[in-house]
Amino acid sequence: MPVLSLSKLSMSFGERELFRDLSFEVDARDKVGLIGRNGVGKTTLFKMICGELDPTSGVIAPERGLSIGYMEQHACSNGSRTIYDELESVFDKLKESEREIERLTSEIESGSNDLDDLIARQTALIEAFERDGGLTYKSRTRSALIGLGFRQEEFSMPTSALSGGQRSKLSLLKLLLSDAKLMLLDEPTNHLDIKSVGWLEGFLRDFKGAMIIVSHDRYFLDAVTNKTVEIEHGKCMTYKGAYTEFMKKKQAQLDAQKNKYINDMKEIRRIEGIIEQQRRWNRERNIRMAESKQKEVDRIKEQLVAPDGELENMRMRFEPRHESGNDVLIASDLRKSFGDKKLFKNVNMHITKGERVFILGENGCGKTTLFRILNRQQFADEGEYIYGANVDCGYFDQMQENLNLNNTAIDEIHNTYPFLTDTKVRSSLAAFLFKGDEVFKPLSAMSGGERARISLLKLMLGGYNLLLLDEPTNHLDASSREALEDTLLDFEGTLVIISHDRYFINKLADRILVLGKDGMTEYLGNYDYYLEKQSQDAASPRADQTEKKEKPLNEWQLRKQRESDERKRKTKISRTEAEIERLEGEVGELQTALSEEEVQSDYEQLIALTESLEKKQKELESLYELWEELQVIET
């Protein structure tokens, strides 16, 4: 039984149509991932479900008595309250019941005349109090605050002193602890570090109600959701399964639609050729046949559906001007504090050419500060770092402080690279989806995602061979993230990246460095490997200690082994790609042969070619899987 049904919803603002005939249902335990590019109307849809906006047409039908919680409805309105009191205010009804139970207890103990009536009321209240979670609301408040990264000493801070990120986290917690039976979560992982996102995933998996989640965090969607709704081309499609499963099903569906359209068009052209021939002969039976064939063409055209055109994506390629030496960056015993706040010490790194290294750590541990030190924007208190021969370092600043918000898009690029022609600047901006009058849009009027694209374009035009990227996928939608991932996989330089995007980390990482107060801990693999080692270390603390003692002794050998493995991996990739190209050619030839009229009329030849095609496609699928496996170094 659905708790929410949306039927043929359409929404327009003036002449701009966001979406049309949008329909889907949310069942009582559904965890729905609502995805789509920035600007397709996901947040607008949330406001329509909450009743803040009316649709242009269509029906929104919630279950009778459905309580809906939306994160924006849970803002912190009382700045004088402490963090703890603000969150505990979610349980005001339970607290009121608790006070009433205490009052009744006092009356009973005082020997009131209406003793039986008081005891009955007290018993009923206690039962309701316990049923609604009254015995655990204080511990739930505390554990939720800790789970989302608030420290014990921050509980007594007034909410007026919170940063925007902290305020968002507190609003999210108020929603999570409310009694909503349908939660609408708009980018809930924003401002959360990896540890806090893990806590949130566990909470949402255990949540007994329904939820709709807007998020570009693909790893998070895979971990939490069981249904995916995508808004694209103004329409919505619903798929069972989380993000990765949805992507496979969507691609298969698009391929099937495209193939059917191509085959239908071939059939139309073939029949129209017969019609033309029959009409040229112009005999009575030829005319009858032409009319019959025309009806057949009309039937095919009536059900013919042209596949939607592919949405344009960013086209980028990071090409170093020249090659660096093998040693790219060496940092020794870096330490940094701000007053009494000690961020980190004993930070040591040795980054070599071609590596893709990710730096992880809890919010506030100093990752961005470390990058600012390496980019010579701040000084370390102790320690030193050196760049290797011919290293050109480019820096992506998540705060986007390198952008002049008074500039237009075209001026920002011209001012940074004055030697580029207007044609080159315009074509570069177009590759990053800034076209026509959009190039004259001031950066101050741009969204976070648009500014991120400008920053990435400036970085691409620099020709750097070392990229320091601080949260480069923030503000980007899923398709832009995937375009960036593919570009960085092809990058022939060196990458050092700070990110909370676990899907991104899994796809790119050769090595992970976890920053803590006392230095770096190294993991020789991607995010899944890091999780596996964390689990093993938690289960075997002694084994972990032994590994840490022995590791420095084998550092040189490990690095050489990694370099050897990387060379072997790249060789395998080249061979696999060549084999894929050969097989794709053979598959294309077979598909062309199968579409020929003489083959379709020869049953034995048709069967033989079909079997050969299936065999080649299976071989090709195996090679695709091998190619995907080779994108991550096995450890």
Side-chain angles (χ1 to χ4, degrees):
M1 181 71 180
V3 296
L4 177 69
S5 296
L6 309 180
S7 179
K8 295 187 175 299
L9 284 188
S10 297
M11 189 63 185
S12 300
F13 292 100
E15 295 183 358
R16 185 190 172 208
E17 183 181 61
L18 275 183
F19 47 76
R20 62 188 174 281
D21 294 336
L22 185 151
S23 301
F24 66 90
E25 292 183 340
V26 181
D27 290 332
R29 298 291 292 272
D30 269 348
K31 295 173 174 60
V32 179
L34 179 62
I35 66 173
R37 293 199 172 195
N38 292 336
V40 298
K42 302 184 296 294
T43 299
T44 298
L45 181 60
F46 271 10
K47 291 183 176 180
M48 290 162 63
I49 293 171
C50 291
E52 296 178 24
L53 288 174
D54 293 325
T56 305
S57 62
V59 177
I60 300 173
E63 180 184 58
R64 184 186 295 273
L66 178 69
S67 55
I68 300 174
Y70 181 32
M71 188 168 161
E72 284 194 359
Q73 296 172 341
H74 293 79
C76 308
S77 55
N78 189 342
S80 62
R81 272 183 179 163
T82 66
I83 291 174
Y84 183 90
D85 289 341
E86 178 69 22
L87 183 55
E88 200 183 57
S89 67
V90 171
F91 302 112
D92 278 348
K93 288 184 178 178
L94 285 173
K95 291 160 72 176
E96 185 178 332
S97 295
E98 194 172 34
R99 288 191 293 270
E100 180 63 13
I101 290 169
E102 290 174 357
R103 188 187 68 77
L104 289 172
T105 301
S106 297
E107 283 195 41
I108 291 168
E109 289 175 351
S110 67
S112 174
N113 294 330
D114 301 324
L115 199 58
D116 291 341
D117 182 49
L118 290 173
I119 292 174
R121 286 168 56 197
Q122 182 197 50
T123 302
L125 269 176
I126 290 173
E127 288 176 354
F129 181 74
E130 292 177 353
R131 184 182 64 246
D132 295 338
L135 298 178
T136 59
Y137 78 85
K138 291 182 179 179
S139 62
R140 285 159 62 198
T141 300
R142 184 179 179 280
S143 63
L145 285 168
I146 292 172
L148 231 54
F150 288 99
R151 298 189 303 275
Q152 183 82 40
E153 56 269 27
E154 294 176 325
F155 287 7
S156 58
M157 280 177 55
T159 58
S160 58
L162 295 180
S163 67
Q166 289 173 315
R167 191 176 292 269
S168 294
K169 287 199 291 185
L170 190 54
S171 296
L172 173 60
L173 284 175
K174 290 183 70 176
L175 170 57
L176 297 179
L177 295 183
S178 71
D179 61 353
K181 295 298 182 280
L182 170 64
M183 290 197 296
L184 307 179
L185 302 172
D186 197 346
E187 295 291 354
T189 60
N190 279 3
H191 310 295
L192 302 185
D193 57 26
I194 287 177
K195 182 179 178 182
S196 298
V197 173
W199 177 88
L200 178 60
E201 285 171 354
F203 185 99
L204 295 180
R205 279 194 297 264
D206 293 339
F207 178 62
K208 297 298 189 290
M211 64 185 71
I212 306 175
I213 304 169
V214 170
S215 180
H216 297 311
D217 187 334
R218 297 154 293 171
Y219 200 101
F220 174 74
L221 291 171
D222 275 346
V224 173
T225 62
N226 68 326
K227 182 188 289 186
T228 301
V229 175
E230 182 188 40
I231 302 177
E232 187 176 85
H233 296 292
K235 300 176 289 186
C236 89
M237 292 295 293
T238 302
Y239 301 81
K240 286 186 178 179
Y243 179 83
T244 299
E245 188 178 351
F246 143 76
M247 285 298 291
K248 292 176 182 176
K249 290 179 178 178
K250 178 187 177 184
Q251 191 58 53
Q253 185 174 354
L254 290 175
D255 290 344
Q257 288 176 346
K258 190 180 294 183
N259 290 337
K260 186 178 186 307
Y261 180 75
I262 291 170
N263 291 332
D264 285 346
M265 290 301 294
K266 285 180 180 177
E267 183 66 3
I268 288 170
R269 286 193 293 270
R270 185 184 72 81
I271 298 173
E272 285 178 340
I274 295 172
I275 292 170
E276 184 181 354
Q277 184 183 61
Q278 295 294 323
R279 284 177 174 164
R280 279 203 309 269
W281 290 342
N282 201 28
R283 296 174 184 167
E284 185 178 349
R285 66 186 182 86
N286 299 126
I287 294 172
R288 285 200 304 270
M289 179 174 283
E291 290 173 348
S292 174
K293 290 293 183 182
Q294 184 61 53
K295 290 178 181 178
E296 191 175 343
V297 168
D298 292 342
R299 279 197 303 272
I300 296 174
K301 286 184 175 180
E302 188 176 335
Q303 55 82 46
L304 187 67
V305 178
D308 289 321
E310 293 186 7
L311 293 172
E312 190 176 8
N313 215 335
M314 288 192 296
R315 305 185 309 278
M316 52 182 148
R317 183 171 179 81
F318 292 97
E319 294 183 341
R321 283 192 299 267
H322 49 255
E323 191 173 348
S324 72
N326 190 59
D327 290 327
V328 173
L329 172 63
I330 300 173
S332 304
D333 298 323
L334 293 177
R335 181 177 70 83
K336 184 64 179 178
S337 300
F338 290 103
D340 295 333
K341 182 176 175 58
K342 297 177 181 179
L343 284 182
F344 53 75
K345 63 180 180 180
N346 300 328
V347 169
N348 296 283
M349 293 189 296
H350 188 168
I351 310 295
T352 58
K353 183 175 68 176
E355 281 195 299
R356 298 196 290 262
V357 179
F358 278 76
I359 297 177
L360 310 185
E362 295 183 6
N363 285 348
C365 71
K367 301 185 296 295
T368 295
T369 300
L370 175 62
F371 265 23
R372 289 177 178 271
I373 290 169
L374 297 177
N375 198 47
R376 300 185 176 92
Q377 292 175 287
Q378 292 182 3
F379 294 101
D381 297 336
E382 289 181 7
E384 61 181 9
Y385 62 93
I386 56 171
Y387 288 103
N390 295 322
V391 172
D392 290 329
C393 181
Y395 175 47
F396 179 92
D397 177 9
Q398 69 160 315
M399 304 304 293
Q400 300 172 347
E401 293 178 358
N402 64 326
L403 300 178
N404 183 343
L405 300 186
N406 295 319
N407 279 339
T408 63
I410 195 167
D411 287 341
E412 182 70 13
I413 304 304
H414 266 311
N415 291 352
T416 309
Y417 300 102
F419 54 87
L420 293 180
T421 65
D422 191 64
T423 301
K424 174 64 176 175
V425 171
R426 284 243 184 189
S427 63
S428 299
L429 283 164
F432 278 68
L433 308 183
F434 294 97
K435 298 181 178 180
D437 290 341
E438 289 179 337
V439 303
F440 303 113
K441 186 176 182 178
L443 272 62
S444 59
M446 287 185 180
S447 67
E450 289 171 320
R451 292 179 192 172
R453 282 190 270 133
I454 293 290
S455 292
L456 286 170
L457 173 55
K458 289 174 65 176
L459 202 63
M460 184 188 80
L461 294 171
Y464 306 107
N465 54 31
L466 167 64
L467 300 179
L468 301 180
L469 308 178
D470 189 358
E471 298 288 1
T473 61
N474 274 9
H475 307 296
L476 297 181
D477 57 30
S479 57
S480 296
R481 292 182 185 204
E482 286 165 5
L484 178 61
E485 287 164 358
D486 293 340
T487 300
L488 295 180
L489 281 168
D490 292 336
F491 179 55
E492 295 179 355
T494 305
L495 298 170
V496 184
I497 304 174
I498 296 169
S499 182
H500 292 142
D501 186 339
R502 295 159 297 168
Y503 206 98
F504 182 58
I505 300 168
N506 249 356
K507 198 166 180 178
L508 287 170
D510 297 332
R511 185 157 58 110
I512 287 174
L513 300 175
V514 180
L515 179 62
K517 289 185 177 180
D518 298 318
M520 295 280 203
T521 304
E522 182 182 64
Y523 296 85
L524 304 175
N526 64 3
Y527 185 75
D528 285 343
Y529 174 79
Y530 159 72
L531 281 185
E532 181 183 343
K533 291 298 293 179
Q534 287 268 295
S535 178
Q536 290 174 2
D537 294 347
S540 306
R542 291 183 180 177
D544 178 46
Q545 291 169 7
T546 304
E547 183 181 336
K548 286 181 180 177
K549 288 180 182 177
E550 292 177 355
K551 194 172 187 178
L553 299 176
N554 296 315
E555 185 67 31
W556 185 84
Q557 294 96 324
L558 286 170
R559 194 173 301 284
K560 289 297 179 184
Q561 182 64 47
R562 285 200 308 275
E563 291 172 358
S564 174
D565 291 344
E566 177 67 5
R567 286 193 295 272
K568 292 176 184 176
R569 184 179 74 93
K570 287 183 176 179
T571 300
K572 285 182 181 178
I573 287 175
S574 297
R575 290 175 180 170
T576 303
E577 287 174 342
E579 187 67 6
I580 285 173
E581 187 174 355
R582 182 186 68 79
L583 272 174
E584 283 178 338
E586 293 179 6
V587 166
E589 291 171 2
L590 285 168
Q591 288 173 330
T592 300
L594 280 167
S595 66
E596 293 174 359
E597 185 176 350
E598 59 269 23
V599 172
Q600 292 183 353
S601 62
D602 185 337
Y603 177 77
E604 290 182 358
Q605 190 179 3
L606 185 64
I607 292 298
L609 286 174
T610 301
E611 289 176 350
S612 180
L613 177 61
E614 288 176 353
K615 181 180 178 182
K616 296 290 184 186
Q617 286 175 328
K618 285 180 180 178
E619 291 176 18
L620 195 56
E621 187 65 30
S622 297
L623 285 172
Y624 286 145
E625 291 175 0
L626 175 61
W627 185 87
E628 288 177 359
E629 291 171 3
L630 288 171
Q631 299 312 301
V632 178
I633 295 177
E634 297 293 338
T635 56

